[in-house]
Amino acid sequence: MSKASSALSFVSVASSFRSQRWLDVKLTENEYFTRSLGLLLAFISGVLMTAYSSMIKMLKDMDSMQVVVIRGVMQLVIMGAIAKYQKLSFRGTTEVKIAICLFFVAFTGGLRLLFIFTSFSRLPLGDSTTILFSSPVIVMVLSIILFYLGVASSICGSIGLFTFGHPSCPSYDEWLLAITIGFLGLVQQYVLVWAVQLESPARVTIVRQMQIVLAYAVQIVLFGVMPTWTDMLGAGLVLGTVVCITFEKTITEKCDIKRCRGERKSLEGEK
């Protein structure tokens, strides 16, 4: 394996648009328990994300971009400590092209977190969650990548806060709430990585789509905002599309296998 492929293996993309052949990997003896645990972790990840996104809407004085900075600082400190403990190089790689690629991964990840937190604070919870889950699920692993993602989140959050946001020094309760949001975000990210390692990305993606339903339930019960029929229609279309695309590759591969077997039998019959 080349240095480029080994360095890029730091980033694991569990995409709802392109699932890997995880079913071909031999699992542990207790396969049912392993897969069930993976699906449970995927569900817990969705619950945690719904919890901290709801907390973002509870902030009154603190700007959501300020929460992004707090989350980024927490992530770079924790992941930096883990990387130091594991005696990993903070350079990540000596390859210039790989370093540039990882830089853009971290930078776009920081922007993504900034946009997600801003949407949670300014849009109804169900609508923002539906929009979020219409894109691929990206999971980044290993402490070095998560460390630089924390750095990027802190920088992007600071730029957004002082450019478009409103820096403030809110009450102790809001600081505590912001720290809780950052902590739950880190735990949710770790749980999602763990879920993808135990179960196929396709099944994890489908389970996490249930977060859309949970978000609309929280929106109605906790915030008293009733979704319109167009909101429900859009959410249903997103759910159906993601499920269909998730199984598209699997169905195509099975059809290809059957076609190859049919061609092989026809060739054997001719002989």
Side-chain angles (χ1 to χ4, degrees):
M1 183 180 291
S2 63
K3 292 182 179 180
S5 61
S6 61
L8 286 177
S9 65
F10 288 170
V11 181
S12 172
V13 179
S15 173
S16 59
F17 294 90
R18 187 178 179 183
S19 60
Q20 302 174 0
R21 293 294 298 267
W22 282 67
L23 295 179
D24 295 339
V25 180
K26 186 176 180 181
L27 300 176
T28 59
E29 294 181 358
N30 198 345
E31 180 179 344
Y32 179 79
F33 173 78
T34 301
R35 291 185 172 179
S36 298
L37 179 59
L39 296 177
L40 176 62
L41 290 172
F43 178 76
I44 293 175
S45 172
V47 172
L48 291 175
M49 191 170 184
T50 303
Y52 78 70
S53 59
S54 302
M55 293 179 183
I56 292 176
K57 300 187 74 66
M58 295 178 182
L59 295 172
K60 297 180 180 179
D61 300 324
M62 182 178 291
D63 196 297
S64 60
M65 299 182 188
Q66 197 165 339
V67 183
V68 175
V69 178
I70 296 173
R71 158 76 181 271
V73 171
M74 291 177 61
Q75 184 162 328
L76 71 89
V77 169
I78 294 174
M79 295 304 167
I82 294 175
K84 188 68 176 178
Y85 176 78
Q86 295 177 344
K87 298 180 180 179
L88 300 176
S89 173
F90 284 90
R91 294 184 62 183
T93 178
T94 57
E95 297 286 340
V96 178
K97 293 182 179 180
I98 303 299
I100 294 175
C101 179
L102 296 181
F103 167 78
F104 280 108
V105 168
F107 180 72
T108 54
L111 287 176
R112 181 176 182 270
L113 188 64
L114 176 65
F115 296 152
I116 288 174
F117 276 46
T118 303
S119 68
F120 281 147
S121 63
R122 302 189 181 188
L123 292 176
L125 186 60
D127 295 345
S128 57
T129 303
T130 302
I131 295 172
L132 173 62
F133 277 87
S134 64
S135 62
V137 178
I138 301 178
V139 180
M140 285 172 280
V141 299
L142 292 190
S143 50
I144 291 297
I145 300 298
L146 295 177
F147 169 78
Y148 284 111
L149 181 60
V151 175
S153 299
S154 302
I155 296 174
C156 293
S158 299
I159 294 174
L161 177 63
F162 289 100
T163 305
F164 305 104
H166 304 282
S168 62
C169 186
S171 62
Y172 171 79
D173 294 338
E174 293 223 343
W175 279 107
L176 183 61
L177 187 61
I179 294 174
T180 304
I181 292 171
F183 176 75
L184 290 180
L186 290 176
V187 175
Q188 177 267 334
Q189 193 172 34
Y190 174 78
V191 170
L192 180 58
V193 171
W194 192 6
V196 172
Q197 291 175 344
L198 296 178
E199 183 53 281
S200 66
R203 289 190 176 91
V204 170
T205 300
I206 293 175
V207 171
R208 295 197 77 235
Q209 297 305 310
M210 295 299 103
Q211 185 182 339
I212 297 178
V213 179
L214 183 60
Y216 274 114
V218 173
Q219 173 183 315
I220 296 171
V221 176
L222 192 60
F223 300 104
V225 179
M226 291 295 297
T228 63
W229 70 269
T230 54
D231 294 335
M232 303 305 295
L233 176 61
L237 290 174
V238 170
L239 281 170
T241 303
V242 171
V243 170
C244 291
I245 294 178
T246 299
F247 286 105
E248 180 182 6
K249 185 178 180 181
T250 303
I251 296 173
T252 303
E253 289 175 349
K254 289 183 177 180
C255 292
D256 291 339
I257 292 174
K258 290 181 179 180
R259 185 172 62 252
C260 290
R261 289 177 178 175
E263 293 176 354
R264 184 181 301 175
K265 289 181 179 179
S266 62
L267 291 174
E268 291 177 352
E270 292 176 359
K271 292 181 180 180

